[in-house]
Amino acid sequence: MREKKKAGSAALRVSESYLETVSRRFRRHRLAMVSLVVLAVLVGAALLAPVIAPYDPDAIVGTFGGAPCREFWLGTDQIGRDVLSRLLYAMRISLLVGVLATLISTAIGVVLGLVAGYFGGIADMVIMRFTDMVMSFPYILLVLVAASIFRPGLWNIILILGFVDWPGIARLVRGNVLSLRETNFVKGNLIAGMPVRHILFSEILPNTVAPILVYATSVLALSMLDEAALSFLGLGVQPPTSSLGNMLNGAQSLTVLTKQPWLWLPPGLLIVVLVMAINFVGDALRDALDPNSR
Amino acid sequence: MYKYIVKRILIAIPVLIGITIIDYAIMCMAGSPLEMLQGPRVSEAAIEAKKIALGLDQPFYVQYFVWLGQLLHGNMGYSIKSYQPVSEMIASHLGPTLLLMGVSLVVSLLMAVPAGIYSAIHQYKKRDYAVVTLSFLGSSVPSFFLSLLLIYVFTVKLGWLPSGGMTTLGAKSGVADVAQHMVMPVLVLAFSMAGSNIRYIRSAVLEILQQDYLRTARAKGIGRFRVINKHALRNALVPIVTVIGMEIPVLFGGAVIIEQVFSWPGLGLMTMSAITSRDYPVIMGVCLLSAVVVLVANLVTDILYALVDPTIQLN
């Protein structure tokens, strides 16, 4: 009986499409499903911030440093702004920084990795040695140096994080291209005289999208953490714009830390929840997209 | 074997040269020291004279070689703020940082290695999921937020531990005093590093557990305990070596933020104050030092890796 069932599901597996297989494997990861729901709610709340925020995030609406009450669910900050409204807008900014920085670094990494892996020779050597050099500098230190040279601010932070975090992706893509270059379908394209552009972007790239996607989720998590750290140190997003990191900046003062936990606990916990959810989704994607697992 | 080591070193040399070029280029991009001189009281001629005295009228590559020559003599330039030699400043702050890093590295290994192996042995059980979830927490918590939480609990609420510094002011500084100040920074650094390492060691051990030689060992009937402790652990040394290599750059980066939060008087705190006062010679001195350390650490890891794992192909 059991054997029969197994055979039946095997037959089913043959008929299901690649995407169906991936989503079936993904749904097995319970924590990732929960994370997906959490992410959807939080991203929704961030996108809808102008609609659902009870107050203007930059307007002074209450008492200085008021504790949470019915009127202000998460209290008010040192100059009387509503913490909940600021938190919603901060999430918007932090997600924006994370997503854009990830897009930039992924684009740079993919292009450099493709070129290095496909053309080999001197191009490969120069790109990979340059990657080694950038990787040798401790990541946070490089970001801090860049943040101290360029004026801190939202767009500079996005660019800095985007331009510093590509070496990992470049190495990953290069490795994949090296092995794909030896496959028959790529060799076939070469013999057929297809243009290099077509081979790179229509043949090789689609076959290495899965690992890039998985890696990009971890870059997203990392860049959100880095934005938070930079803003916390005062080198990132500058007030009055709120980001999850610079909302924690106030906690460096002892009165805020000891007497007003509603000012720093919510943004901190929100970062943890967001980053953890992204990491879980990335982990489930890794398992789901892995061709070796079933 | 020697061929492999020599080859690895030969690859590292251009990277090292590249690092110094990047370092110098960033320092030039950050602004010339002449900007500090400018003001209504300084004449054009004085600036011109200073420019020639500092060698800034030379082409970029000549300046670079002059700087490199000085560097090889141990001269890393002078701080713009305090006029102290950068190498002296680094040397005087290095001790506390090395202490913090060393202890954190050991503590994180003590957390990650047993947890990773435990998790792998109990794969797909509740215990495994608990460890893996905890490890995700470790890599998802911003270190500064964890520091604030610890300070809130252990300093503000319980009053057990000091919130910052390395020794109690005015008191006689003993080993116990320093150790007490180290508990929180070490915990934060170790926990955030252990996060990713637990998963790395777990998957490496899972791979080892599937090997044929372990099935053979099990088939011989020597017992589960001896299979794992005698046969699996020894092979788990390879991923542990990799983990140590991966931790070195993380340590340097993490130290900057942790030292800032806990006002630990080390290299990180010095770097942060140099960053806020735009003291580029100091910043780039630290960058150069850490990049070289990371490069050397990678080199040593690769060579150790080859030594520990006899199956690695050396060609």
Side-chain angles (χ1 to χ4, degrees), chain B residues 74-151:
Chain B
N75 179 8
M76 300 174 88
Y78 296 88
S79 160
I80 295 173
K81 293 286 156 191
S82 65
Y83 303 107
Q84 265 183 303
V86 173
S87 46
E88 242 174 56
M89 287 174 75
I90 289 179
S92 66
H93 286 89
L94 199 58
T97 296
L98 284 182
L99 181 68
L100 184 67
M101 285 181 176
V103 176
S104 306
L105 183 67
V106 173
V107 173
S108 86
L109 284 180
L110 287 179
M111 287 179 184
V113 174
I117 294 173
Y118 180 84
S119 188
I121 294 172
H122 301 284
Q123 194 191 10
Y124 297 141
K125 288 185 188 152
K126 283 234 168 68
R127 287 168 274 185
D128 174 32
Y129 286 121
V131 172
V132 171
T133 308
L134 204 65
S135 83
F136 269 109
L137 187 66
S139 45
S140 304
V141 178
S143 54
F144 63 90
F145 180 60
L146 186 61
S147 314
L148 291 176
L149 279 179
L150 288 184
I151 293 177

Side-chain angles (χ1 to χ4, degrees), chain B residues 42-56:
Chain B
V42 186
S43 69
E44 282 291 317
I47 290 179
E48 204 57 37
K50 187 79 181 169
K51 197 171 169 184
I52 291 167
L54 288 172
L56 293 174

Side-chain angles (χ1 to χ4, degrees), chain A residues 87-150:
Chain A
L87 201 60
L88 287 170
Y89 277 90
M91 203 155 63
R92 248 165 111 90
I93 294 292
S94 296
L95 284 168
L96 179 79
V97 172
V99 169
L100 286 184
T102 305
L103 284 180
I104 295 173
S105 58
T106 308
I108 298 175
V110 165
V111 169
L112 288 181
L114 277 179
V115 170
Y118 187 79
F119 295 105
I122 289 185
D124 181 30
M125 207 194 73
V126 170
I127 291 175
M128 287 334 281
R129 288 300 85 77
F130 185 61
T131 310
D132 285 349
M133 289 169 205
V134 176
M135 273 185 132
S136 295
F137 289 99
Y139 175 64
I140 275 282
L141 217 51
L142 212 52
V143 172
L144 283 171
V145 169
S148 74
I149 293 176
F150 305 106

Side-chain angles (χ1 to χ4, degrees), chain A residues 10-21:
Chain A
L12 233 170
R13 249 171 227 159
V14 174
S15 65
E16 75 183 347
S17 75
Y18 177 64
L19 273 182
E20 279 166 354
T21 320

